[in-house]
């Protein structure tokens, strides 16, 4: 499976971000709480250098709460980083962000001080624009359920001592980590024309079968889970009427249904990545 998606405006956005860096005091990186590693761009980590960063674990209402707590602890151990799980439309929790910004940069943003200049970054369709609108209390940024809505930088005065710079979503030019790219596709961060829907659904259902079997059994009213991912996806399609002439299952429609229900949280609160998996991989790489 090959996933290759890097709209031209992202190249321009990267250059614009580099140009703005000297004026920025703090970064807010919006991540998908269900896949915080795959929804992060290592380029952004290198660009910010030693400037403080708040990693917003957005869509935490869709993620496994136990795993989200583990991710919060994981990020809080990093120098200059603070994690904040939230749901971008929740005004009460989003309201904690300005206070946290001032805490991390205490000499900016308060009365009588210079404005605190914040850059908000993240991959497409992770909820940046929704977060900005909630912070501003009105519609300041375009919002959509498809990636690449924001295509040029914009600056927003929140009128509370914070100046917010919004940027287009940035992905790696080459998604060479196929497992991570598959998780991005499953979450809806990558345009649907860039991947094979059935292949992504099969990888996803295999993961769910191993980590969240009870949720699959309950959602699709199954007595047991077939061992093969294809057989499981076919059974889901059969039970949901994804059929073609002759009673055969339309596997593509079944795949679309599964991914749609995963993204909406109808299957349950699911995390596609766990800190322990990446910490173990990091230790193995160090040993080598």
């Amino acid at each position: 499976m090959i996933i290759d998606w890097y709209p031209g405006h992202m190249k321009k956005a990267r250059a614009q971000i580099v140009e703005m860096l000297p004026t920025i005091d703090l970064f807010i990186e919006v991540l998908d709480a269900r896949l915080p590693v795959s929804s992060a761009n290592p380029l952004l980590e290198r660009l910010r250098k030693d400037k403080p960063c708040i990693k917003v674990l957005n869509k935490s209402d869709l993620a496994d709460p136990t795993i989200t707590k583990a991710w919060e602890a994981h990020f809080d151990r990093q120098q200059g980083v603070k994690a904040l799980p939230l749901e971008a439309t929740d005004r009460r929790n989003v309201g904690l962000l300005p206070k946290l910004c001032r805490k991390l940069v205490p000499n900016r943003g308060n009365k009588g001080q210079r404005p605190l200049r914040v850059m908000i970054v993240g991959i497409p369709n992770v909820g940046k624009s929704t977060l900005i609108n909630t912070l501003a209390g009105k519609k300041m940024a375009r919002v959509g359920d498809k990636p690449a809505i924001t295509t040029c930088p914009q600056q927003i005065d929140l009128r509370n001592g914070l100046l917010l710079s919004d940027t287009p979503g940035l992905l790696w030019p080459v998604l060479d980590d196929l497992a991570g790219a598959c998780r991005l596709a499953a979450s809806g961060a990558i345009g649907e024309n860039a991947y094979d829907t059935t292949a992504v659904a099969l990888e996803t259902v295999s993961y769910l079968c191993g980590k969240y079997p009870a949720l699959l059994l309950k959602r699709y009213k199954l007595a047991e889970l077939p061992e093969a991912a294809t057989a499981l996806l076919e059974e889901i399609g059969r039970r949901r009427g994804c059929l073609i002439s002759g009673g055969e299952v339309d596997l593509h429609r079944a795949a679309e249904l599964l991914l749609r229900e995963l993204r909406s949280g109808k299957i349950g609160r699911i995390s596609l990545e766990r800190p322990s998996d990446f910490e173990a991989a990091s230790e193995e790489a160090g040993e080598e």
Side-chain angles (χ1 to χ4, degrees):
M1 177 175 57
I2 298 174
I3 297 178
D4 183 11
W5 188 70
Y6 195 69
H9 73 266
M10 291 188 186
K11 297 178 183 178
K12 182 179 179 181
R14 181 189 183 282
Q16 291 169 327
I17 289 173
V18 171
E19 184 179 347
M20 296 167 64
L21 279 177
T23 67
I24 300 301
D25 300 309
L26 176 145
F27 285 86
I28 294 176
E29 182 178 14
V30 186
L31 305 173
D32 189 321
R34 299 167 296 177
L35 53 155
V37 171
S38 294
S39 62
N41 189 329
L43 170 66
L44 300 174
E45 192 65 25
R46 293 208 303 267
L47 289 177
R48 78 173 183 89
K49 296 183 179 179
D50 59 349
K51 293 187 178 183
C53 179
I54 299 172
K55 292 186 181 288
V56 169
L57 302 177
N58 190 31
K59 305 183 183 181
S60 60
D61 58 318
L62 299 175
D64 184 329
T66 301
I67 304 302
T68 298
K69 287 182 180 179
W71 278 116
E72 187 176 4
H74 171 85
F75 287 123
D76 284 351
R77 289 194 293 269
Q78 298 177 6
Q79 184 68 31
V81 174
K82 181 64 181 176
L84 182 64
L86 53 75
E87 205 286 307
T89 59
D90 186 334
R91 291 188 178 183
R92 183 175 62 85
N93 285 333
V94 170
L96 299 174
L97 262 177
K99 296 178 182 178
L100 187 53
C101 290
R102 295 188 189 94
K103 183 178 179 180
L104 293 174
V105 188
N107 60 335
R108 293 283 190 274
N110 294 301
K111 189 175 181 180
Q113 296 178 334
R114 291 172 57 189
L116 201 168
R117 297 179 180 273
V118 179
M119 179 177 283
I120 185 165
V121 295
I123 69 168
N125 204 33
V126 78
K128 291 190 298 89
S129 296
T130 301
L131 182 63
I132 290 169
N133 292 340
T134 303
L135 278 168
K138 57 183 177 180
K139 187 174 181 179
M140 302 293 291
R142 290 179 61 199
V143 176
D145 61 358
K146 294 183 178 180
I149 293 297
T150 304
T151 57
C152 60
Q154 58 180 326
Q155 189 170 78
I156 300 166
D157 188 348
L158 297 181
R159 302 193 180 281
N160 58 3
L162 270 66
L163 287 177
L164 192 65
S165 295
D166 183 22
T167 60
L170 286 175
L171 282 173
W172 271 127
V174 179
L175 294 172
D176 50 4
D177 176 4
L178 289 182
C182 183
R183 291 189 289 268
L184 284 169
S187 74
I190 297 176
E192 60 185 12
N193 293 328
Y195 60 89
D196 184 319
T197 301
T198 303
V200 168
L202 287 172
E203 288 290 331
T204 303
V205 81
S206 180
Y207 173 85
L208 297 179
C209 193
K211 299 293 187 182
Y212 298 99
L215 294 182
L216 287 176
L217 290 170
K218 181 179 180 181
R219 177 62 186 172
Y220 299 109
K221 298 180 173 56
L222 301 171
E224 59 181 4
L225 295 177
E227 291 185 8
T230 302
L232 178 53
L233 189 58
E234 285 179 346
E235 184 60 28
I236 290 172
R238 186 173 294 107
R239 287 175 176 268
R240 289 304 182 85
C242 300
L243 304 175
I244 55 179
S245 58
E248 294 291 323
V249 174
D250 186 332
L251 208 58
H252 180 76
R253 282 179 57 200
E256 288 181 325
L257 180 144
L258 176 87
L259 294 178
R260 187 166 58 247
E261 296 203 337
L262 171 74
R263 294 164 185 166
S264 66
K266 290 182 179 179
I267 298 175
R269 298 184 66 172
I270 289 168
S271 291
L272 299 174
E273 295 176 343
R274 302 172 180 230
S276 56
D277 297 336
F278 295 91
E279 289 165 356
S282 179
E283 291 175 3
E284 290 177 3
E287 291 174 359
E288 292 177 0

